[in-house]
Amino acid sequence: RQHDPESPRNERSWTVPRRLLLAVKDSSWRPAFFVALLLFGSYVAVPYFTPYMLKDLGLDYLGYAYLSAVSIVAKAACFPNAVLCARRYGLLSTMVAGALPAAIVPLFWAFSRTMSTLVLAQLVAGWAWAFVELASYQLILQSADDRCRHEFLSIATAMSALAQVVGALLGGNLCTCIHMLHGT
């Protein structure tokens, strides 16, 4: 439902490099950088979860699928609450309310050995990411200069994707190094 303003006539003929430069120069990057850093940190941990669940916890694939589904269903169920929180307390508060628990969820995994505790961790993760995703997307939309919204969103999305890939590669390499040190 976001209104996409019509570009003034003289800006329609701008070249892609000029529009990209305008997006870089005239938009606010703080929300995009925050999201990229949060995704980077989260994806450093991603390579640990599947082996941990399957090998260390001894879950079968059905248990693994169940735990994965819990966070997805929780996120979908919590989006309406994220909307209410954003309306009442603002987008920045909503994003922080999700980002803090999202950063703490790995502690649940580090110290839990029971399925009920892991389900609780996945419920918290779903709730937290619902708040983060709703608020961060809206904040990123608001950060874009109207004259170059598409370019800004493209750059911000590419930056988040790069953060995910680099975080996962780093996490995977750390996981391999740890296993080599432990001889497993």
Side-chain angles (χ1 to χ4, degrees), residues 44 47-48 168-184:
V44 167
Y48 294 93
L169 288 171
L170 177 64
N173 284 324
L174 289 172
C175 194
T176 301
C177 291
I178 290 169
H179 284 292
M180 287 172 57
L181 289 172
H182 291 258
T184 59

Side-chain angles (χ1 to χ4, degrees), residues 38-143:
L38 183 62
L39 290 171
F40 172 79
S42 298
Y43 274 76
V44 167
V46 164
Y48 294 93
F49 288 124
T50 301
Y52 176 71
M53 287 190 281
L54 296 176
K55 185 178 176 190
D56 296 348
L57 295 180
L59 294 177
D60 58 9
Y61 286 108
L62 183 61
Y64 171 76
Y66 172 73
L67 277 177
S68 298
V70 167
S71 66
I72 294 167
V73 171
K75 182 166 55 169
C78 288
F79 265 114
N81 293 328
V83 170
L84 293 174
C85 183
R87 287 182 184 151
R88 184 166 186 173
Y89 301 107
L91 291 170
L92 186 59
S93 295
T94 302
M95 188 165 66
V96 170
L100 291 176
I104 294 170
V105 163
L107 291 176
F108 278 104
W109 284 89
F111 298 110
S112 63
R113 293 279 180 204
T114 66
M115 186 61 109
S116 59
T117 308
L118 295 173
V119 168
L120 177 62
Q122 291 296 83
L123 288 170
V124 171
W127 167 76
W129 283 104
F131 277 54
V132 167
E133 289 178 14
L134 176 104
S136 65
Y137 184 70
Q138 294 298 317
L139 286 167
I140 287 172
L141 278 176
Q142 291 176 4
S143 299

Side-chain angles (χ1 to χ4, degrees), residues 11-33:
E11 293 174 6
R12 288 185 199 159
S13 63
W14 285 1
T15 62
V16 171
R18 184 172 179 186
R19 295 179 69 81
L20 288 172
L21 183 63
L22 182 67
V24 169
K25 186 179 71 136
D26 289 352
S27 299
S28 173
W29 286 93
R30 285 174 47 184
F33 281 123

